[in-house]
Amino acid sequence: MIMNRDTASPCQVPASPGGLPEPAGEPRLGKVLRSLGVFGCASVEDAILAGLAIGEPLLFIGNPGCAKTLVSQRLADGLRMRFWAYDAGKALFEDVVGFPDPVSLGEGEVRYVPTRLSLWGKEFVLLDEISRANYAMQNKWLEVVRSRRLMGMSLPDLKLIVAAMNPPGLAGTSALDEALAGRFTFHVTFPDAHQMDAADLRRVIEVPDDGSDSTMLPDLRPLLVAIRAAFPDTESRDGGAATAYVERLAEYFAGKDHPLDGRRLGMMRRALLALAAVHRVVGAPPGNLDSLLTLFRHGLDCLLPFAAAGVEVSRLIVEGAHEFASASVRGHVRVLPPHDVLGAARMLARQDDVVPDADLSSLLVTRIFQEMEHPHTVERAGRSGAALLTVALSKVALWRLVPDTRHRVLAGYRDLLDLDASDVGCFQTESESLVRDAVIDGSVRDAALRLAYVLTSRLGRTMRGGAEFEDMAKCLIETYSQGGAA
């Protein structure tokens, strides 16, 4: 199904006539969307303007009736661009690409005959209901969003792409493919009516459904030109802080098993600087480092791709990431537990003259026991068990630990090997049935099997489901032996 610019929005609001409000000496931020006749969205206005200034794809997320479609149409009108909205959940591929030209087929090429519905010639495109498209169709939209190309052919007229979706989990919707979600720089969550202030809510309630004259809307193009013109100064002032902030975010999220890829990290830095430029032009410019970091925290809510892909990341992790990154920007570098516990354990056990950091070593031990207490997968459990074996059985590693950390390793290792009396018989029966090998010697093998037995039991209590003792034992022993330990 295709919708054109005349399709009415279910929560349409009246357009404000006249130009963009510019009271002397007052910030305009929060009033731009109002000048387009959109109310209640002031909290996301800076992110939308920053996305338009960057010119990269925007993703609007919100419940039905949040004006996602309307905002897209009004933005296109304000930018004086040709607008077209595709219902991505119903659009067929031939709607998008057109039909093969029989003449081109005879010439050994594939060219397409454009139709009124196809993407050729469109300037501002809305991919509405994209979370209702099946994954096969999402993959076809991926090329358009990523590179503004269709079937390998350039779409030179296409300037801006906006997609709209309901939150994953709503009936009839699905999470976006991670590759597609990662192509959108800003993930803008629209507020519901109950989250609006009283004045904006009243405007939305009282709106007459009489349409609007797009020629009466203010021209947003000069505003975007001014924002882009502020980029060089913003880069000079805030570029270093933005880089340090994003670097530390990457470290923190990786340590929490939510790694961000390089493309996303680059997007985040550009987006944070674009936000700063927006505030310098139409808002209150960040006056000091604290206000800049507060702006970065606001931007973080619009820059993480997890929610659209259906990945749950707790608010505590996001807050922790911001605090960790902010402290680093302020010069107070904090130490995180190593993400790769097995790699860090092997480095600790190496025969070299490097003196390990006591805090890092303590955090390593803490992380090993945390991962063993709450295993996620057989592979992760096997690596944490192999890490504990590496440290506990290495004289070099133990010698390099401070006394209290060394005591924690040995006490925790002993407790894990000391099985409950009710488990001993079952353990002996199951371990004797395993094929013995010469990968590691007998005493180490017995310790590895005991750790594997405990990890199998713990993994079986998780919502992710259990594991076979034989699979866990094989994974742990092979992982440990691959490091050259014996």
Side-chain angles (χ1 to χ4, degrees), residues 414-424 427 450 453-454:
R414 182 184 63 246
D415 290 344
L416 287 167
L417 297 187
D418 188 15
L419 301 177
D420 293 339
S422 59
D423 291 329
V424 172
F427 165 73
R450 286 173 177 263
Y453 188 83
V454 172

Side-chain angles (χ1 to χ4, degrees), residues 140-452:
K140 291 177 180 178
W141 284 116
L142 179 61
E143 182 188 17
V144 176
V145 176
R146 179 186 61 210
S147 56
R148 292 178 175 80
R149 301 180 71 85
L150 187 59
M151 299 294 290
M153 293 176 284
S154 177
L155 296 166
D157 296 323
L158 186 56
K159 302 298 188 299
L160 288 172
I161 300 171
V162 173
M165 64 177 285
N166 299 133
L170 207 65
T173 68
S174 60
L176 292 192
D177 179 274
E178 289 189 13
L180 180 57
R183 293 314 195 271
F184 295 96
T185 302
F186 281 96
H187 292 226
V188 181
T189 299
F190 277 57
D192 291 315
H194 70 271
Q195 297 172 310
M196 299 178 184
D197 62 37
D200 281 334
L201 180 59
R202 180 176 291 274
R203 290 188 179 99
V204 172
I205 292 172
E206 294 179 345
V207 60
D209 190 14
D210 58 358
S212 64
D213 182 359
S214 62
T215 62
M216 298 294 292
L217 297 179
D219 187 348
L220 297 184
R221 289 174 295 180
L223 176 61
L224 293 190
V225 169
I227 294 172
R228 294 186 190 109
F231 277 15
D233 183 58
T234 302
E235 170 71 43
S236 176
R237 291 170 178 262
D238 307 324
T243 297
Y245 183 81
V246 173
E247 283 178 338
R248 299 287 78 79
L249 287 179
E251 181 180 354
Y252 191 93
F253 280 112
K256 297 297 182 180
D257 299 322
H258 297 295
L260 299 167
D261 59 61
R263 179 178 56 243
R264 170 57 46 180
L265 297 174
M267 285 179 171
M268 292 176 73
R269 183 183 185 276
R270 291 193 301 275
L272 291 174
L273 293 177
L275 275 173
V278 168
H279 281 259
R280 292 188 185 282
V281 173
V282 293
N288 53 39
L289 184 58
D290 286 342
S291 61
L292 180 66
L293 291 172
T294 298
L295 177 60
F296 285 178
R297 174 63 188 89
H298 165 65
L300 191 56
D301 282 334
C302 302
L303 295 174
L304 297 175
F306 304 123
V311 178
E312 293 187 11
V313 177
S314 75
R315 175 59 55 181
L316 289 177
I317 290 179
V318 177
E319 293 292 349
H322 170 71
E323 291 301 325
F324 175 74
S326 296
S328 180
V329 174
R330 292 188 176 101
H332 309 298
V333 180
R334 299 177 183 174
V335 179
L336 282 178
H339 178 54
D340 181 5
V341 293
L342 180 57
R346 287 170 175 167
M347 290 183 64
L348 190 66
R350 287 190 318 190
Q351 296 274 5
D352 56 32
D353 297 328
V354 178
V355 179
D357 182 275
D359 290 335
L360 271 177
S361 299
S362 177
L363 287 169
L364 167 63
V365 172
T366 299
R367 184 64 181 267
I368 290 174
F369 283 119
Q370 285 176 341
E371 292 198 5
M372 294 190 70
E373 182 66 29
H374 303 287
H376 294 277
T377 64
V378 171
E379 291 74 19
R380 290 289 300 277
R383 290 184 69 82
S384 62
L388 180 58
L389 280 177
T390 299
V391 176
L393 300 181
S394 168
K395 293 181 179 180
V396 173
L398 290 174
W399 176 80
R400 301 175 94 182
L401 297 175
V402 296
D404 63 326
T405 304
R406 185 184 311 126
H407 174 73
R408 281 201 297 139
V409 171
L410 295 176
Y413 180 64
R414 182 184 63 246
D415 290 344
L416 287 167
L417 297 187
D418 188 15
L419 301 177
D420 293 339
S422 59
D423 291 329
V424 172
C426 183
F427 165 73
Q428 289 178 339
T429 300
E430 292 193 36
S431 60
E432 287 175 358
S433 67
L434 300 181
V435 177
R436 294 185 176 273
D437 52 50
V439 175
I440 54 178
D441 65 40
S443 61
V444 177
R445 184 177 190 276
D446 182 67
L449 290 177
R450 286 173 177 263
L451 292 180

